[in-house]
Amino acid sequence: DGGITQSPKYLFRKEGQNVTLSCEQNLNHDAMYWYRQDPGQGLRLIYYSQIVNDFQKGDIAEGYSVSREKKESFPLTVTSAQKNPTAFYLCASSRARGEANYGYTFGSGTRLTVV
Amino acid sequence: QKEVEQNSGPLSVPEGAIASLNCTYSDRGSQSFFWYRQYSGKSPELIMFIYSNGDKEDGRFTAQLNKASQYVSLLIRDSQPSDSATYLCAVNIWVNSGGYQKVTFGIGTKLQVIP
């Protein structure tokens, strides 16, 4: 079955450590997105990519980095510069470049906690 | 003004009643509107999308769009306890003129259906 796979499901980060969240899709979607969800704040866009080898900053990109070397993969690195990384991270994809008209398919999420 | 506004709730309705969820948006150029359902601890899933003024029905769900008033609503008929979840309103917004689109989410309305 087609879908989006995020791993790991739970991740614990030590102070000053970089961690990478994986996102893989087999839906043949062009566009991929990373959102962060905090209680009471809804989903906030971190980065998005409409095509391979191209990505754009979202509303809260500071302290994060991404790459899009393959259509299927859009990993997110949470760097030590991100001072409050504890959150639920959601990866999503949509059908066509520049068009989110059909809505997103979401992965199951990664819950990141700073220890 | 927030780009997408929703009342966080909770909205409590008895089983079998109609639940009415509301959302307003600020960008008059928006063309696509979505409702996602999110169960506690899970990722959002798309349940409805609407592009044109008026009503769109899918089973027990009806989405209503009024572009002049910049207002979107979701009606759930014959509400069931399994409908208890947070409902996210999302709107497609142009990032740059003629450039990329992104979807902006409201904070979500928590619905509780009381047996």
Side-chain angles (χ1 to χ4, degrees), chain A:
Chain A
D1 288 338
I4 299 181
T5 301
Q6 287 187 244
S7 62
K9 192 175 177 76
Y10 298 96
L11 186 57
F12 298 91
R13 193 194 93 166
K14 296 180 181 178
E15 295 285 346
Q17 189 179 40
N18 291 357
V19 292
T20 297
L21 283 59
S22 171
C23 178
E24 303 276 335
Q25 55 100 358
N26 60 3
L27 298 166
N28 200 32
H29 285 173
D30 286 309
M32 297 186 75
Y33 311 84
W34 275 105
Y35 282 87
R36 167 181 172 147
Q37 188 173 36
D38 297 276
Q41 294 201 49
L43 275 70
R44 293 183 290 168
L45 182 64
I46 304 172
Y47 268 99
Y48 60 101
S49 169
Q50 303 281 7
I51 197 169
V52 174
N53 292 323
D54 182 55
F55 48 83
Q56 308 293 327
K57 291 182 178 180
D59 301 318
I60 55 164
E62 185 174 351
Y64 299 98
S65 65
V66 294
S67 63
R68 187 84 187 276
E69 297 176 1
K70 298 186 300 181
K71 186 175 183 178
E72 301 80 18
S73 179
F74 191 41
L76 173 74
T77 296
V78 184
T79 74
S80 57
Q82 172 49 239
K83 298 306 178 189
N84 185 24
T86 295
F88 188 41
Y89 290 85
L90 289 159
C91 180
S93 68
S94 65
R95 190 178 297 185
R97 178 183 181 184
E99 297 174 19
N101 288 344
Y102 298 99
Y104 289 170
T105 300
F106 281 92
S108 57
T110 293
R111 202 165 293 277
L112 174 62
T113 304
V114 174
V115 295

Side-chain angles (χ1 to χ4, degrees), chain B residues 92-108:
Chain B
N92 224 21
I93 294 175
W94 286 101
V95 176
N96 304 304
S97 57
Y100 297 118
Q101 296 184 40
K102 70 170 185 178
V103 173
T104 296
F105 290 80
I107 63 171

Side-chain angles (χ1 to χ4, degrees), chain B residues 3-76:
Chain B
E3 292 174 308
V4 180
E5 296 211 51
Q6 293 182 262
N7 188 319
S8 60
L11 172 66
S12 295
V13 299
E15 184 175 353
I18 296 175
S20 177
L21 303 160
N22 305 314
C23 171
T24 58
Y25 61 94
S26 61
D27 185 355
R28 286 195 171 274
S30 297
Q31 298 179 350
S32 308
F33 308 86
F34 309 89
W35 284 99
Y36 290 82
R37 177 176 61 201
Q38 186 174 25
Y39 291 112
S40 181
K42 303 296 185 183
S43 60
E45 58 177 322
L46 181 67
I47 54 173
M48 292 283 287
F49 59 86
I50 186 167
Y51 310 137
S52 305
N53 273 332
D55 295 359
K56 179 181 179 182
E57 188 174 315
D58 184 1
R60 296 186 296 113
F61 299 98
T62 299
Q64 299 176 317
L65 174 61
N66 183 325
K67 288 187 177 181
S69 300
Q70 295 174 242
Y71 179 87
V72 192
S73 64
L74 179 70
L75 302 178
I76 306 175

